[in-house]
Amino acid sequence: MRNIVLMAGLLGVALFTAAMPGCGSGLTLFNPEFINTTTGGANPVTPGPGAAFVFVRGVNETTQTLEFVVTIERQVLDRDDNGNFVFDDFGQPLTTPKRETRTLLTFANGPARELGVLFSCRESPVTHVGLGANLLPGDTAIFVGGQGAIGQMGSGIQAPNLNTLLLSAGNFNCGDTIIYRAFTQTNVSGGIGVEAFLLPGSEQPSVFSGPNTFVNFAEFLQAQDSAGGP
């Protein structure tokens, strides 16, 4: 399974009212002028419709170093000892949930305020996206002031009001960009609030003045597969 860490600038997005039950209900939009949907732009901000990736970005709008703990889950096909797929009595392939956790170390100034990770949907779709290693409300979602070694010397911040995003509930699709924004909020524990945003890949324009980085990366992976690369 491949993924790649990317830098990206924060553009207009759709806001999840994450404190509400059933994340995805109550979806609202920012000013459409900030959403790159009709006239194109320099570079794409989502993998785009039908793309085999989910892009997750951490945006640090505080004055401190923050480390986002991003976790996804997917259903992976089971294989026997010979590497063959395993099926049930009805001929359906058996799967096992598998999680991947990546930490995004962001800083208080300049382009380093934001970092993203690209998760592949090529082998199996991403079904869950959230903050925290176990996708539970009590997990540490962000480490504050750490050194980048999964919270080393940093203090942990929870985000209990952020629900895990579910593919089955229509919260996101492959081709979308999910953004976690951390900001200073004095009335919460740790003094940092977190919001989740969605930028739908279905609204991605098809023409850009600069290179389509997601398409280029997909072509790179296909070339590796053809050449028998890792």
Side-chain angles (χ1 to χ4, degrees):
M1 197 65 60
R2 303 183 181 95
N3 52 60
I4 187 169
V5 175
L6 302 172
M7 299 297 295
L10 179 62
L11 298 181
V13 288
L15 168 62
F16 275 110
T17 53
M20 299 292 291
C23 187
S25 61
L27 192 66
T28 61
L29 290 175
F30 282 115
N31 188 336
E33 292 182 2
F34 295 106
I35 301 176
N36 191 20
T37 58
T38 58
T39 60
N43 299 98
V45 293
T46 75
F53 303 104
V54 173
F55 190 29
V56 183
R57 294 155 55 182
V59 179
N60 179 359
E61 295 187 358
T62 75
T63 59
Q64 304 183 70
T65 298
L66 299 182
E67 190 175 4
F68 294 81
V69 182
V70 176
T71 297
I72 62 102
E73 185 174 292
R74 65 176 87 244
Q75 293 292 325
V76 178
L77 292 169
D78 291 342
R79 296 177 182 265
D80 60 22
D81 293 339
N82 296 319
N84 300 314
F85 294 122
V86 179
F87 298 87
D88 63 18
D89 294 338
F90 301 97
Q92 299 298 315
L94 297 178
T95 62
T96 300
K98 180 181 178 181
R99 288 180 186 157
E100 297 178 46
T101 298
R102 297 290 183 269
T103 57
L104 303 178
L105 182 63
T106 62
F107 298 89
N109 298 299
R113 282 180 173 270
E114 182 174 350
L115 195 65
V117 58
L118 192 62
F119 293 99
S120 175
C121 297
R122 299 171 73 217
E123 298 178 23
S124 56
V126 174
T127 58
H128 298 63
V129 178
L131 294 181
N134 299 303
L135 296 175
L136 297 174
D139 288 349
T140 295
I142 293 175
F143 288 99
V144 181
Q147 300 297 315
I150 311 182
Q152 181 181 7
M153 298 176 64
S155 58
I157 299 292
Q158 297 176 351
N161 291 330
L162 281 184
N163 297 321
T164 297
L165 305 181
L166 305 177
L167 177 68
S168 61
N171 299 149
F172 70 93
N173 289 291
C174 286
D176 291 349
T177 293
I178 295 165
I179 300 170
Y180 290 102
R181 169 183 172 259
F183 56 95
T184 301
Q185 188 174 9
T186 57
N187 61 343
V188 299
S189 176
I192 293 176
V194 188
E195 294 177 327
F197 299 84
L198 177 72
L199 188 59
S202 60
E203 299 180 1
Q204 180 82 296
S206 58
V207 178
F208 303 94
S209 60
N212 189 325
T213 48
F214 297 107
V215 169
N216 290 347
F217 183 58
E219 292 175 348
F220 167 74
L221 292 182
Q222 290 173 355
Q224 277 197 320
D225 291 341
S226 299

